[in-house]
Each structure stands twice: as structure tokens, then as C-alpha cells.
Amino acid sequence: MQIDPQGDVTQLKGVGPSLQNTLAKLGIFRALDILLHLPSRYQDRSTVTPLSQLRPNEEYLVSGAIAGSKVVFGKSRSLEVLVTDADSELRLRFFHFSKFQQRALENANYIQAFGSTAYIGRHLAMAHPEYRTFTDPPPAPKPQLVPVYPTTQGLSQNRLRQLTASVCAQAWPETPGTPFSKLKLLHQPDSLQSIPELRAELALEELAAYYTVMKRRALKRKQQTGIPLPRGPGLGRTLRDSLPFKLTKAQRRVIGETLIDLENETPMLRLVQGDVGSGKTIVAAFAALRAAEQGCQTAIMAPTELLAEQHLQNFQTWLEPMGLRVALLTGQMAAAASREAIRATLDGELDVVIGTHALFQDRVTFSRLALVIIDEQHRFGVHQRMALRFKGLAPHQLVMTATPIPRTLTMALYADMDVSLIDELPPGRQAITTQTIAESNRPKVIERIRQTLKQGQQAYWVCTLIDPSEEIPATAATEAFEDLQRALPEFRIGLLHGRLRGEEKVAIMRAFKNHELDLLVATTVIEVGVDVGNATQMVIENSERLGLAQLHQLRGRVGRGSTASGCFLLFKPGLGDTGKRRLNALRESQDGFFLAERDLEIRGPGDVLGTRQSGEQSFHIADLAEHAHLMPEAISLAEALMGAAPGTDAANRLSGLLDTWAPAQSDHLSA
Ligand code: ADP
Ligand code: MG
């Protein structure tokens, strides 16, 4: 039977309600979404690497004789298998193992194993490899590229591989513009060499679809009628005079551009780009104030609870003295509080409602919504962005982002928007001294932090994981927290990560802001928006695991006050060339746009799969670093197809493209 690409996954053999729920967590709803859930990389299992050539932190297929196996007692009990080949040896380690497995390994003579290497103690080892045992010397391996998928709890890599393989084996309708056969090839490539070209062909189509959605929306917006917000009783001046700082020239210009837009009947759609710390929030406050002057409401969306909470504090400070009512509405609020906020929103008692994506929910209805502000828009992701619609409404939109997108791309990516740039930082900002430091020098870094804290300043200690993991060789926040408590007993240390409840996060962040904590150990949850001027040092562990843009954002948490600040990028030994160049770029520059351009250069088309930056919802396939050069071609393709008469091949191709790459439209905010 032929698959219905748009139909849900339960049409597939073996997919029931429980697997359906798990797949939903990966953003897989339709059959098509399985094809679109692409491997993040491939394991090359075609060649056996001699044991003498192994390096740490790489994946290998190895083969050799079993020279012995024993249970060893270290921190925890583990089974160790010693493998030898012609001239070297390797230890395989199993931290979980059954009696049966142990006996089978003892009885076998040869083993072929696939896994990643790491130092355990002084020896290079492979923890929990996939393996097969043999009585006689094993045959040469069959050439094989095995896809590795991003997955989630409750869905093993193997199960997902099987599911995808069986979906690829089924019949898909081939209509114009639908790329099913190309997508299948990406799941089962013949060679690594064929991948970049395939990806480029698909990326071109995805970018063209994206451009089409945005362009059509821009055209539609021009025909809509919003609520004009002319200048009112002049509260703007009162706000300006009440600020503890003087607005920069760039801020004044961008506020001006925004307020002029708001006077129009045509809904505004303006993007404010500005590096971390350039002071975008206050621009939003002026816009919200203008709406309130006209008796209208503003909704502000932030990507995290922490940021929403911080905006609440700022907007209350700035706007409540002027008689505005500001409130919070997030997913983690207690039911009664959120019911009350929803009621007050509907009754028009609130002027500014700040929230996370709970604000998008249908149950929230505004009485007179005129302005929607989306902060840190890049964190909401391409797909949410394409899907955002306002039922029966045409609010003005102000979109803020610190993602330093290279200028060449801005026009194409934000085809639907007018762009304002805050190209100036507030005066008096101190440069941040950035140092890259091998992990082995951790004690020295701790000493530096001790000095900082002694002087009454504060610091962040950032980790990329919450809990220790066997698969990922990185220091976890919980570990670092205990470690630092031992090393720095005289200071107050807090731990902040995404698994804490909303109120706990807020309480810890408040304590840090009020200097009731000296050091904050945190995951990358603090990446956006966190603003504590007295924090002057940041340590980022395993900085090699983060993208350049993300590191830049994180580092932007320090250097906000008038004291010299510093950032230590700790890295694990065995850092590759690309990794080195990335960390060096950060050391050289603090300019987000410069770094974005460098990122493009460093990553380039050489990376087969690009480097997905964690936390960033991106395109299915297009990678802005890898495919930036395709943008002009994507735009002309889109323009050509959009101009085609209905019923023609070109028009059919366009609808195929949109069906594939653009998500279903959905309604979010209503009034
Ligand atoms: P962004 O959102 O662009 O990263 P914020 O709006 O959070 O930056 O501003 C960063 C910090 O700078 C805040 O503490 C803010 O109060 C402060 N700030 C904003 N504008 C100015 C200014 N013109 N002069 C001094 N400080 C400013
Ligand atoms: Mg901000």
C-alpha cells in the first residue's frame, strides 16, 4: 500500500499510540516527518582500524583476538576485555553486563567491536561498544554506512533505525516537487562523498519553500488592517527621563523606527537585531508603552521561564510607575495564578502580558491586542516561525534577535520583515578577556575564581550536561557543583539547570542577582537574557561541544558592569583543528557579526553534516553555514514558481515543495 506522506505515523506498520507519543517528542507526527528526521551523522563501519592507530574520542571499527577478560573494581564494578591485534592492544569496558554476556566473552576467541574511544585511567579504552564474537578469525567487514539519529528517551537508536529503514522500503507517491527518493538516499547513502551534493539539492528546495512562505506572508500583511497606534500623551518622554542610563544613539534610532511603524494601519513587522547586551529590551518597552497609551495590549514572548521572569521585573520597574499593569503568564505557573492572569488578560486589565510559549495557547484570549513582541526569536525556531499565525488578528510585531546572522543572509531570511540594527553597545562596557585552557588546568581556573569571589564579584560556571553520562565525555553540572563546593567552601554556590521547576529556577536566579550566591553553576539555560552586572567571570566547561554563536551568547552574560571581565574556555584534550579555530576566534573577537562570518568560514562545506547548534531549532536540512551561497538561487527559484499560473507544472512543483518543507499552519493567539 502507498504511504500517505501527510497522514499520521500510525498508518505505518508497528506504530501504535505509545510509539506515536514517543515520536511526537522528536517532532515526528506525519509519515513524512520520519523521512525528514535525518541522521545527525553516519558511522563508517567499512574499515577495520589497527589498534596502534587509535586516537581518543573517535569512533572505530576494531577487530582482534580476545586476550583475557576480568571483572574490575574501580569507582564501580565493570567487565574489562583485553583485545590484541598484530602490534597493539585495547581494553573494552562494560559497566553493565550480564553473567551470560560475561561467559560468552570468556568463551570466544575473536571479537569485532564498534564504539568510541576514550581514556579510562591511563589506558585507551572503548566503553560499551557494539560487538560480535567469533571462534575463528573474523571475516572482513561489509562496507556499511550506518545512520545515527537524534533520538529521545524510550526510543533506542536501533528501533529508530529499523523504523526508518522499513519506511524507506515502502512505496511513496512521486509527485512533482516531492523529494522522497532523495530523502531516502540520505538515510541509506552509498558513500559519504555523495551526501553534500544531495543535501545541497534538498537545501535549495527547503530554502525556496521558506522564502515563499515568508514572502507570501509579507504580501498578505500589506493588505491587512491593524490598529494604528499614534503618539499619545507623551509617556515616552517620562519613561526616557526615568531611566538610570542614557539611551545610545542606536537605541534612539531603532525606537524611532519602531514608533513610526506603529502609527500605521498596516501591521508592523520589524526585526531588531543587536548583539548581546546592546540593550534591545528597552526598545520593546517603548513600543509596549505606545500600545498602552492607546488603550491596547502587548504580548511579549520569551523562549525561557527565566527570561520571562527577568522581563517581568524590568517591565514592572519601567512601566508600572506610569500606571501600566504588567503580568506574567508561563507554562510552569500554578494553576490558580495562571487562571487569574488569563482572566485579567481577557478582561483587559493587563497592559503587558509576558510569557513563554504558553502564551501561544488557544485558551489565552486578549481583549485588545495590538502588539506582539518576540524576544530571542531565533530560539523559537524556523518551524514555529513559519507556523505562527494570529487568528482573526493583525497585530504589530516586533521581533528581537541577537543571532548575529551574516548581513548577506539577513535580507533573504527575513524576507517578510523590515530590519533595524542596534550597532552600538552602551558606553563603559569592559572588554572580556577570553582564555582557552586545557581541562587539566582546572585547579588554576578555580583559583582565579576564588580571587574574583574574594573581591565581592560573582561568577558563572557553565556545563554542557546536567548529569554525568557514560556516552558523552563531559563534566556534568551536578558533578562540578559538588566539586566546587568542596574546593570553595567559603563561598555560597548555587546550581541551576533546566530540570528544576520554574519557581526553583526563578528563586535561584533571584538569589544570584541579589548576591545571596557568589557562584552559579549552571547549564546553558543561562544562555539567553540573564543579566547580572556584578558577575565578572565565566568558566565554560567542554567549550568544544558548543557552537560559536552559542559560546558568544553565553559569554555575553559577563562584561555587563564597569569591572573588567573574563571568560575561561575549558576544553578536553584531542581538540580538532576546527575546534581550535573556533575557540581562537572567540579569543580574538567580541563582535557577534564578525564571529558569525568567521563561523561560516570555519565550518564551510567541509563538514559533511554541518554542526547543528544545540538549542537552535533549525531547518530540516538547510544549514546556514553550509548553504548560505544557495540563497540567491533559492530566491529566484521561489520567485519563478510563485509567478506560475495555477495548474502548470511549476505551480504543482511549488505546492509539492510547500507540502514537504513548510509545516501546517496553526492558529495561536486569538482575540
Ligand atoms: P540585550 O537584550 O540586547 O542583550 P538588554 O536589553 O538585556 O540587552 O540590556 C543589557 C543591559 O544593559 C541591561 O542591564 C540594561 O539595563 C542595560 N542597558 C540598556 N541600555 C543601556 C544604555 N543605553 N546605557 C547603559 N546601560 C544600558
Ligand atoms: Mg535580550
Side-chain angles (χ1 to χ4, degrees):
M1 221 186 62
Q2 221 180 42
I3 279 187
D4 169 13
Q6 304 294 336
D8 75 51
V9 286
T10 50
Q11 68 181 297
L12 304 168
K13 234 205 271 153
V15 181
S18 139
L19 185 54
Q20 183 183 24
N21 283 337
T22 312
L23 288 170
K25 282 191 230 152
L26 294 171
I28 298 174
F29 304 97
R30 307 165 297 173
L32 171 62
D33 294 329
I34 295 198
L35 283 192
L36 290 173
H37 190 69
L38 292 165
S40 52
R41 59 197 177 85
Y42 304 88
Q43 293 169 345
D44 185 356
R45 302 193 186 182
S46 322
T47 39
V48 171
T49 306
L51 299 180
S52 58
Q53 288 173 22
L54 301 185
R55 301 181 354 110
N57 306 320
E58 303 272 353
E59 279 184 332
Y60 296 104
L61 177 69
V62 296
S63 183
I66 297 181
S69 80
K70 61 178 185 215
V71 176
V72 294
F73 297 89
K75 252 192 217 158
S76 58
R77 203 174 72 108
S78 64
L79 177 65
E80 186 183 278
V81 177
L82 185 66
V83 182
T84 57
D85 66 3
D87 50 15
S88 194
E89 58 180 40
L90 175 73
R91 287 164 171 76
L92 309 181
R93 273 291 183 115
F94 299 90
F95 294 94
H96 315 286
F97 57 94
S98 62
K99 268 249 132 39
F100 172 79
Q101 192 181 10
Q102 185 182 356
R103 212 166 306 129
L105 279 163
E106 277 162 6
N107 292 338
N109 301 326
Y110 295 93
I111 189 165
Q112 229 171 45
F114 182 86
S116 57
T117 50
Y119 276 101
I120 300 184
R122 272 183 302 117
H123 298 292
L124 197 60
M126 212 177 243
H128 285 278
E130 289 177 44
Y131 68 88
R132 265 179 76 191
T133 54
F134 301 85
T135 318
D136 303 313
K142 287 197 210 82
Q144 219 194 138
L145 284 173
V146 180
V148 180
Y149 296 101
T151 184
T152 182
Q153 214 170 24
L155 183 61
S156 71
Q157 187 61 239
N158 272 335
R159 178 81 187 84
L160 190 51
R161 271 181 202 150
Q162 282 162 10
L163 179 65
T164 309
S166 90
V167 167
C168 285
Q170 294 189 50
W172 285 70
E174 284 295 341
T175 46
T178 53
F180 304 133
S181 55
K182 282 182 197 158
L183 284 169
K184 285 181 190 178
L185 267 175
L186 275 180
H187 291 279
Q188 303 164 328
D190 306 326
S191 72
L192 281 177
Q193 287 74 35
S194 65
I195 292 170
E197 198 183 315
L198 258 175
R199 284 172 54 82
E201 285 170 28
L202 289 165
L204 178 73
E205 303 197 330
E206 183 174 29
L207 291 172
Y210 176 81
Y211 180 84
T212 305
V213 171
M214 292 301 155
K215 191 64 195 269
R216 282 186 171 168
R217 187 179 300 172
L219 294 174
K220 190 166 162 212
R221 176 172 58 94
K222 295 217 170 85
Q223 295 158 1
Q224 281 175 322
T225 319
I227 305 175
L229 301 169
R231 187 194 287 267
L235 288 180
R237 171 163 306 172
T238 318
L239 173 58
R240 204 184 62 200
D241 292 342
S242 73
L243 293 175
F245 48 77
K246 198 165 158 283
L247 295 171
T248 62
K249 221 166 108 198
Q251 282 172 319
R252 272 183 281 142
R253 188 185 68 240
V254 173
I255 291 168
E257 287 165 355
T258 305
L259 295 183
I260 287 175
D261 277 2
L262 290 177
E263 292 177 12
N264 288 327
E265 210 172 57
T266 310
M268 168 178 82
L269 189 42
R270 182 164 290 279
L271 176 77
V272 174
Q273 264 189 315
D275 211 343
V276 216
S278 59
K280 294 182 288 294
T281 322
I282 191 68
V283 175
F286 277 93
L289 182 61
R290 169 61 66 84
E293 277 185 323
Q294 295 299 336
C296 292
Q297 293 173 302
T298 298
I300 302 181
M301 283 176 222
T304 65
E305 304 263 328
L306 271 183
L307 187 52
E309 164 77 17
Q310 188 164 298
H311 282 340
L312 177 72
Q313 291 179 21
N314 280 327
F315 279 77
Q316 280 178 335
T317 312
W318 290 327
L319 300 179
E320 285 191 348
M322 254 149 283
L324 271 64
R325 287 139 310 172
V326 183
L328 196 65
L329 186 55
T330 70
Q332 291 187 14
M333 262 160 74
S338 103
R339 255 199 316 275
E340 169 54 20
I342 289 171
R343 185 204 59 76
T345 306
L346 175 62
D347 291 349
E349 286 169 24
L350 298 175
D351 300 296
V352 179
V353 185
I354 302 173
T356 51
H357 59 275
L359 256 191
F360 286 75
Q361 286 165 1
D362 279 339
R363 65 197 177 105
V364 183
T365 305
F366 288 78
S367 74
R368 202 165 146 76
L369 179 71
L371 172 63
V372 172
I373 297 173
I374 304 176
D375 193 16
E376 304 285 353
Q377 176 258 13
H378 55 285
R379 295 288 302 245
F380 285 101
V382 170
H383 298 124
Q384 268 163 317
R385 187 161 136 62
M386 284 202 266
L388 183 60
R389 280 297 176 88
F390 305 103
K391 198 175 356 190
L393 280 182
H396 297 286
Q397 288 181 67
L398 185 65
V399 172
M400 306 198 287
T401 179
T403 327
I405 295 164
R407 289 185 181 86
T408 48
L409 281 178
T410 309
M411 291 310 290
L413 274 182
Y414 296 108
D416 57 338
M417 296 199 173
D418 299 308
V419 180
S420 287
L421 192 62
I422 306 189
D423 50 4
E424 178 185 8
L425 289 181
R429 288 281 157 82
Q430 298 289 317
I432 305 170
T433 315
T434 302
Q435 284 173 270
T436 50
I437 293 187
E439 198 186 42
S440 49
N441 284 325
R442 221 161 164 267
K444 277 194 200 141
V445 175
I446 296 180
E447 217 29 61
R448 266 308 306 276
I449 296 298
R450 188 198 306 279
Q451 297 311 323
T452 302
L453 304 185
K454 243 190 204 159
Q455 289 163 19
Q457 293 160 20
Q458 290 161 278
Y460 300 99
W461 193 287
V462 183
C463 300
T464 54
L465 290 183
I466 301 179
D467 296 316
S469 146
E470 258 166 32
E471 287 103 62
I472 307 170
T475 310
T478 52
E479 275 177 300
F481 177 60
E482 286 172 18
D483 224 43
L484 290 163
Q485 276 184 322
R486 252 176 274 124
L488 302 166
E490 68 272 40
F491 296 108
R492 300 159 300 178
I493 305 179
L495 173 64
L496 183 71
H497 55 69
R499 236 183 18 233
L500 297 175
R501 281 184 302 127
E503 304 123 63
E504 291 175 300
K505 273 189 260 184
V506 167
I508 290 169
M509 208 51 234
R510 277 225 176 107
F512 188 64
K513 193 152 191 164
N514 297 337
H515 204 170
E516 290 151 23
L517 292 171
D518 303 299
L519 177 63
L520 188 63
V521 179
T523 53
T524 53
V525 287
I526 61 156
E527 178 185 344
V528 284
V530 169
D531 184 36
V532 179
N534 190 45
T536 58
Q537 298 287 334
M538 173 175 282
V539 180
I540 306 178
E541 293 225 43
N542 303 107
S543 55
E544 75 279 358
R545 299 188 62 225
L546 300 176
L548 198 44
Q550 203 177 7
L551 287 166
H552 175 65
Q553 288 278 324
L554 273 169
R555 181 175 59 176
R557 302 305 119 213
V558 296
R560 298 192 154 228
S562 50
T563 322
S565 293
C567 177
F568 298 95
L569 304 172
L570 295 187
F571 62 89
K572 267 214 170 339
L575 187 64
D577 194 41
T578 311
K580 266 187 208 135
R581 290 170 64 194
R582 213 154 20 143
L583 297 188
N584 282 339
L586 275 163
R587 219 170 44 191
E588 281 161 30
S589 174
Q590 229 170 291
D591 174 345
F593 286 99
F594 171 82
L595 289 171
E597 309 272 357
R598 280 292 283 149
D599 201 19
L600 275 186
E601 274 169 45
I602 294 173
R603 287 159 71 189
D607 288 301
V608 182
L609 293 179
T611 328
R612 281 282 138 93
Q613 314 221 326
S614 60
E616 203 172 310
Q617 280 251 355
S618 34
F619 291 98
H620 287 295
I621 194 148
D623 178 296
L624 292 184
E626 197 180 337
H627 302 123
H629 64 286
L630 296 177
M631 213 38 151
E633 199 184 336
I635 292 176
S636 18
L637 174 63
E639 297 282 4
L641 297 181
M642 272 190 279
T648 55
D649 284 356
N652 292 340
R653 178 163 176 220
L654 185 59
S655 51
L657 286 182
L658 292 174
D659 281 349
T660 306
W661 301 109
Q665 306 286 0
S666 57
D667 299 317
H668 291 292
L669 285 180
S670 52

